[in-house]
Every structure is written in C-alpha cells, then in structure tokens.
Amino acid sequence: MIFGVAYLMFTHKSAPHSVSQGQAEGIKVNTEVEGISDSSGRFKRFWRKPPRLPPQLPPDEKGSIDNHELQKLNTGSKWVDRQQRVKKAFIHAWSGYKMYAMGYDELMPLSQRGVDGLGGLGATVVDALDTALIMGAEEVVSEAGLWIEAHLSDRISKKGQVNLFETTIRVLGGLLSAYHLSGGEQGTNLTHKGPKPTVYLETARNLADRLLLAFTSSPTSIPFSDVVLHDSSAHRAPDGLSSTAEVSTVQLEFNYLSTVSGDPRYSIEAMKVLEHIKDLPKVEGLVPIYISPDSGEFSGENIRLGSRGDSYYEYLIKVWLQQGRNRDGNFTYLYDMYEEAMRGVRHLLVQKSIPNGLVFVGELPYGPKGSFSPKMDHLVHGAFSRFSVKPLFSGRIGPRSVFCPGTLALGATKGLTKEKAMKKNLLKFEDLENLKLAEDLAKTCFEMYSVTSTGLAPEIAYFHTEEYSEHGLDGGNKNSKFVNDIIIKHADRHNLLRPETVESLFILYRITEDPKYQEWGWQIFEAFEKHTKVDSGGYSSLEDVTVLPPHRRDKMETFFLGETLKYFYLLFGDRSIIPLDKYVFNTEAHPLPIKGS
C-alpha cells in the first residue's frame, strides 16, 4: 500500500497554473520533507509537501491584484520618504534659527543673526511650534515651548507697538493651536514634550486682552490697526485707514479663544466687524481693500484678491465652517456673503491669458467702471504702489492671490472629499463651478513656478492678454509651454519662501484626491531645497527667480516654518492628519478645531 501511495505521488500531475512574476515572488514554497514516519525514514527524501499555489484568475486579471498592491505600497513608501525630507528641512530651518536668532522674530541666515520686525515677540518660535507638534519633532516642541513659558508673557507686558492682524494670526493663532494640539480642551495630544497646555492658553489670554483695545478704542465696529502692548493703548494707521482684510481676519482666533476660555468678550468684539461689513454696499459681493475705523465705511474703490483684500474672503467661509457649517444658524450671513463674492469673482475678475489660456484672477484698481488689471500676486503688500496706470488692459498675479484655489475648493465641498460630497448630494452646480475654477487657478499657480529658471515663483506676475503684453520679461525657462503667457517684471522677481501655492495644492489634494497635486508640490519643494537652503542653517529668500544661480536675500520669514513646510508635510502625508472637515486653518496655517467636531 505504501508503495502504491508513493507511485501515485510521483505520477499525479496537477492542472497547470499560471503564476505572474509578482505572485511567484510572493509565494513562500515550503520544501520541508513530510514523509511517512517509519523507523528507517527511507521514504522521507521523496515525500515532499507540494507548494501552495494562488487561486486561478481569469486571463485579463492575472497578476493585477498583487501588482496593484505592490504599486500602492511603493507609492506610499515614496511619500513617507518625501514627508521625512520635509521634516528634515524643518529641523534644518529651526537649527539655524535656534543657533543664531533664538528669541528674535526672524532669522537672517546669511549674516547669521536675528532681527525683530514683528514686535519682538519671538514670532518664529510661536509660528513654528504647531508645525513641530504635527511633525512629531519633539526636541523642537520642547525648545519652543520652554522658551514661550519662560519669556513670552514678560515680553507681552514690555514690548511696544504691534500690528493687530499680524500679531493675531501668527502669535495668538500659534498659541491657541499649540494649546489644542498639545492636549488642551481634550484636544489632540501629539507629543509629551513642552509645558502644560494651560501655559499656551494663559499666554494667549494675556496677549488677547491687550489686542482687544484695538476694538474697544475705536468709535465704530472697525478696529484700529495697531496696539502698544506696554501701555495698553491702540492707534490708527498713519493714514487713518485700516485694511479690510486685516480687520476681518482675526475672527477665527478670537472665537476659539472665547470657546476655550469661557469669556465671550473676544468673540463678541471680533464678530462685530463682520456683522458691520455685512450691511455695507458691495460690488457683486466684492469689497474695497481699505475701510475707515472712524466712519465705518469703505475707502476708495480698489478691489483685489491680493494683499489687503485677500483673507476677507477666506475668513467668510472659514468662520462659517468653524461655527459648525449650520445653514440655518446665526452665521448663515457669512456663507451668503461668501457665495455672492465668489460669483462676483467669476464675473468680474477671472480671465484667460494668451496664447495658451491660463486662467487667472485679476484686479479692479479703480472699481468696476475702471480698467481691469491682469496682475496676480502672492502677496501684493508694498508692490501695488509700483503699479502704474495704463490705458490698455494690464494685470498681475502673485503669491497671496494664489490662496484663492484652496479657498474655492474648501467652500465647494466644506472640507469633505469631492467623492464623499457628491455621494451625499451636497454639491450644487455653483459648487462644481467653483471647484473647477479652483483647479484651473491651481494649474496657473503651479505654472508660475515652472516658468522660471529656478522653478520658484516670483512675487508678482502679469499675464499676456489681448490688451496687454510686454516682451523680454519671461521667466527664463524656455522649455515651458507658458513662457509667453506669463510676464515677470524686474522689480517683482523675488521669492520670499511663501506658502500660498502649497496651501492650495494641499487642500486640492485632500478634496480631489488627485496625486498630481502631490507631484507638483514635490517639484516646488525640491526647488526650495536646491536654491534656498543655507548650509549653516536656515533658508533664504531670493532676489531673482529667473536667473541661475539666483542671488539670495538675507531673510527667512516666520511663515516658512509656520506655513510652507507645514503644508508640504501635510500634502505628502496621511489624509487623516488634521482632516479638513474637522479643522480650519487660520491664514497663518494654524489649525483650530471646528465646533462639534
């Protein structure tokens, strides 16, 4: 009988199996001998367990499962590695700041010293803290947190004049985000390093109590622009006007502070601004960039999505989201104002370049009856004074205008993925229009990087249109399809390490789940690494992105650590980290939780 069994084993032929290379590599063939156990063991040498073979697949599916899974694993590993490259860049930026400028607002990486340009509150420390928390950079969390605990409250009581807007978005926003992310209010405890969360909250209240004077000192609901910390006084800007964007871009921070402190004063004062603006006359929902704290009225007719106008529109949708996305509640007017404004953007400000049709958002420097300006900027602050009146259609776009794609996408799906929002029938036709515009504008923002010799965007770009063109002012990359669409003037060729394009790529990747936004982001990150990294520590701004090698500027802005590198890290990482349906990012990239989330 035994010989009969052996004979069958040798003569039996299994049905042929087709095994793909990927499957074959994944099979572990067990060649352990399993003979009939007898005292001599003479049959064990040819009684072997046959290899396990995978299930049969139809011919058109053979190998697809394993290859797909292998591709997913390889792709995931690639982005984990790239995310760690961003974390390494953050550590390098922080190390330069810590070594040469600790406690100053900003690092000058070339001269290896610090400078105070934002009131002397150690802005880089606070701006970078929640980035370190998100990245799990515990040593940085400890260093930054302990500095805040030891020094910041004392500085708040002794320092002089600060800008309400800049101090709110960078310092107050950074403290409140750190409070939540370190476990305050039962928030997300991302690290065990640093002081107790209450340290951040108490410091935030100390600062906010002084900033409130900008609101309470004004004769209207529009706050003054500046506060003197040491003598608790508030003042108008030199021309008496406040920036529309600045007065309407403090509400996320003051609202959250009221929530976690139990003191409603902060939210009440800040929300008075938006309630007041609600009743002012507008141009299809669009507003001028200046407003008077004395009269409470807009000043001038200049309408743009660049500096002094930009984040007004951003906070309309974000404050509504923060309050729980309730379409029937007390904050519905914010959503209505946002929708009206985006219709105005599509009607009055959106055009296409020639010859290749890049979609861009321009400006109306003289109101709706004046000429259109095809100019788009990252942050037009200080640059608009260089803009001269032209009889022809002219324009520009730049870093701060490129926040717009992210805001449009966020407003369309309310932070959900497009797929989930469509399954829930949450997208109106207008939402789909805004999402399409967001994707078109993101393409334009990316091409502003690709068109230059360095792969980094200028501060301001103009667009070639039927009415406006200038020759000999391209970005230097002759291989770019859009080299003749984008015009970069000599005065506008600098790059300040700005985050706005990366922010839009991050939001669009989260919402559309299209990996091209990650790939675009990686190209931009590599350009930053190649051209702005300083060996001794930190990263520098650039004078001219159109030439190689680019000349460097001796400045590392706080937002490089607080925003740019944070958005890169999140763009390359797991979509469940700081999800957009549970958090809103303030305009300085400090995440704050949505009510009820």
Side-chain angles (χ1 to χ4, degrees):
M1 180 178 176
I2 294 174
F3 281 102
V5 172
Y7 175 79
L8 290 173
M9 290 295 301
F10 283 116
T11 59
H12 173 69
K13 292 183 179 180
S14 299
H17 292 264
S18 175
V19 183
S20 71
Q21 181 181 358
Q23 291 168 330
E25 289 174 354
I27 297 170
K28 181 179 180 182
V29 180
N30 184 352
T31 57
E32 180 186 354
V33 176
E34 288 189 0
I36 297 174
S37 180
D38 70 346
S39 57
S40 67
R42 61 181 177 272
F43 298 115
K44 288 189 175 182
R45 60 192 174 89
F46 40 61
W47 183 266
R48 295 180 182 273
K49 184 176 181 179
R52 278 190 170 184
L53 297 176
Q56 284 270 44
L57 295 174
D60 60 339
E61 294 183 24
K62 287 177 182 178
S64 62
I65 292 179
D66 285 63
N67 287 333
H68 176 67
E69 292 301 319
L70 186 62
Q71 185 178 11
K72 280 178 66 177
L73 286 171
N74 290 338
T75 301
S77 175
K78 175 179 78 173
W79 291 111
V80 169
D81 291 343
R82 290 179 173 183
Q83 192 181 47
Q84 290 308 304
R85 287 275 304 277
V86 177
K87 182 177 179 179
K88 185 177 178 181
F90 174 79
I91 298 297
H92 182 79
W94 174 262
S95 68
Y97 172 78
K98 183 182 73 170
M99 186 178 304
Y100 303 117
M102 189 68 179
Y104 286 93
D105 284 333
E106 292 162 316
L107 167 68
M108 300 179 72
L110 304 181
S111 55
Q112 298 179 352
R113 61 190 180 91
V115 61
D116 283 334
L118 294 163
L121 298 180
T124 291
V125 179
V126 189
D127 236 0
L129 176 55
D130 63 356
T131 305
L133 283 160
I134 290 168
M135 290 181 176
E138 294 200 1
E139 186 174 342
V140 179
V141 172
S142 178
E143 291 164 349
L146 293 175
W147 185 91
I148 289 169
E149 185 176 33
H151 301 290
L152 187 51
S153 285
D154 183 61
R155 291 199 179 190
I156 289 170
S157 66
K158 293 179 179 177
K159 287 294 181 179
Q161 185 164 312
V162 297
N163 177 263
L164 169 67
F165 165 74
E166 295 288 357
T167 307
T168 297
I169 66 169
R170 299 186 198 225
V171 183
L172 185 62
L175 289 169
L176 292 172
S177 180
Y179 168 72
H180 177 79
L181 295 177
S182 61
E185 196 209 3
Q186 294 78 51
T188 306
N189 190 353
L190 296 178
T191 182
H192 298 290
K193 296 285 186 177
K196 293 179 180 179
T198 52
V199 169
Y200 303 130
L201 179 58
E202 290 166 1
T203 308
R205 290 197 70 175
N206 180 14
L207 177 60
D209 286 342
R210 298 165 194 270
L211 295 178
L212 272 181
L213 289 162
F215 299 89
T216 58
S217 300
S218 172
T220 69
S221 297
I222 305 303
F224 292 151
S225 63
D226 299 295
V227 171
V228 178
L229 295 174
H230 66 76
D231 69 3
S232 298
S233 62
H235 304 277
R236 300 166 182 80
D239 61 2
L241 299 176
S242 293
S243 158
T244 302
E246 291 186 1
V247 302
S248 59
T249 310
V250 295
Q251 286 71 24
L252 287 176
E253 299 82 356
F254 280 86
N255 284 345
Y256 183 62
L257 180 55
S258 280
T259 297
V260 295
S261 69
D263 188 339
R265 292 180 304 144
Y266 309 111
S267 179
I268 288 171
E269 292 297 334
M271 289 305 295
K272 282 180 182 177
V273 179
L274 296 178
E275 291 162 4
H276 178 83
I277 292 176
K278 174 186 66 175
D279 297 323
L280 294 180
K282 304 173 183 66
V283 178
E284 298 189 31
L286 305 178
V287 298
I289 61 171
Y290 290 107
I291 191 167
S292 169
D294 292 301
S295 69
E297 302 292 329
F298 290 122
S299 179
E301 295 185 285
N302 191 338
I303 292 173
R304 67 183 185 219
L305 299 191
S307 69
R308 304 191 182 280
D310 51 3
S311 49
Y312 161 74
Y313 305 99
E314 176 188 358
Y315 268 42
L316 289 179
I317 190 64
K318 286 185 174 180
V319 174
W320 177 76
L321 289 170
Q322 180 192 45
Q323 298 306 313
R325 302 184 292 268
N326 188 345
R327 292 297 300 272
D328 302 316
N330 296 331
F331 300 96
T332 305
Y333 73 93
L334 296 172
Y335 186 79
D336 294 341
M337 289 165 69
Y338 169 80
E339 280 201 314
E340 183 187 13
M342 293 307 102
R343 285 193 289 270
V345 168
R346 293 198 308 269
H347 180 218
L348 297 174
L349 300 183
V350 174
Q351 293 204 17
K352 288 185 178 181
S353 69
I354 58 173
N356 294 298
L358 285 175
V359 177
F360 67 94
V361 175
E363 302 179 352
L364 296 171
Y366 304 102
K369 296 180 181 179
S371 61
F372 179 91
S373 166
K375 180 200 70 173
M376 194 164 154
D377 65 30
H378 263 100
L379 185 60
V380 190
H381 181 68
F384 197 78
S385 61
R386 294 195 301 268
F387 179 74
S388 59
V389 181
K390 292 181 173 61
L392 299 177
F393 180 94
S394 83
R396 68 181 189 178
I397 180 174
R400 191 54 215 169
S401 292
V402 299
F403 85 97
C404 192
T407 298
L408 282 163
L410 195 62
T413 71
K414 299 18 173 216
L416 299 174
T417 64
K418 179 183 178 182
E419 181 181 26
K420 185 178 290 187
M422 292 188 75
K423 283 181 179 178
K424 294 186 175 184
N425 292 320
L426 297 178
L427 296 182
K428 308 187 301 291
F429 177 74
E430 191 171 6
D431 294 324
L432 293 171
E433 276 191 315
N434 285 340
L435 189 54
K436 174 63 166 62
L437 177 57
E439 296 200 69
D440 289 342
L441 288 171
K443 166 71 172 172
T444 300
C445 295
F446 173 67
E447 295 302 338
M448 288 171 60
Y449 285 76
S450 296
V451 79
T452 71
S453 300
T454 58
L456 293 170
E459 184 73 358
I460 296 166
Y462 289 72
F463 286 83
H464 182 194
T465 66
E466 295 287 353
E467 294 83 5
Y468 177 75
S469 66
E470 289 193 48
H471 299 288
L473 295 175
D474 62 67
N477 179 10
K478 304 300 184 183
N479 295 320
S480 170
K481 173 184 176 181
F482 302 99
V483 68
N484 294 318
D485 290 66
I486 297 173
I487 299 163
I488 307 173
K489 299 187 178 186
H490 291 287
D492 304 327
R493 296 183 172 189
H494 50 290
N495 180 286
L496 303 180
L497 312 173
R498 289 198 184 278
E500 285 79 10
T501 293
V502 189
E503 174 187 5
S504 287
L505 297 180
F506 157 66
I507 294 173
L508 278 164
Y509 172 63
R510 287 283 184 94
I511 285 173
T512 68
E513 302 177 282
D514 188 335
K516 75 181 179 185
Y517 296 114
Q518 287 183 305
E519 295 293 351
W520 291 356
W522 180 247
Q523 289 184 46
I524 295 171
F525 176 76
E526 287 195 302
F528 276 128
E529 283 287 282
K530 182 176 182 178
H531 297 296
T532 71
K533 189 174 185 178
V534 178
D535 290 340
S536 59
Y539 290 74
S540 71
S541 303
L542 299 180
E543 286 285 359
D544 188 342
V545 296
T546 70
V547 297
L548 291 173
H551 181 66
R552 294 181 169 187
R553 282 189 177 185
D554 194 10
K555 187 75 168 293
M556 183 176 76
E557 301 279 354
T558 78
F559 50 67
F560 185 65
L561 290 88
E563 299 187 69
T564 309
L565 293 176
K566 181 185 293 155
Y567 283 131
F568 274 130
Y569 186 84
L570 292 171
L571 171 62
F572 302 150
D574 191 319
R575 292 193 296 269
S576 67
I577 303 300
I578 318 292
L580 293 179
D581 60 340
K582 292 181 170 57
Y583 287 86
V584 286
F585 288 81
N586 86 336
T587 201
E588 191 74 7
H590 298 305
L592 299 171
I594 290 172
K595 272 190 176 180
S597 67

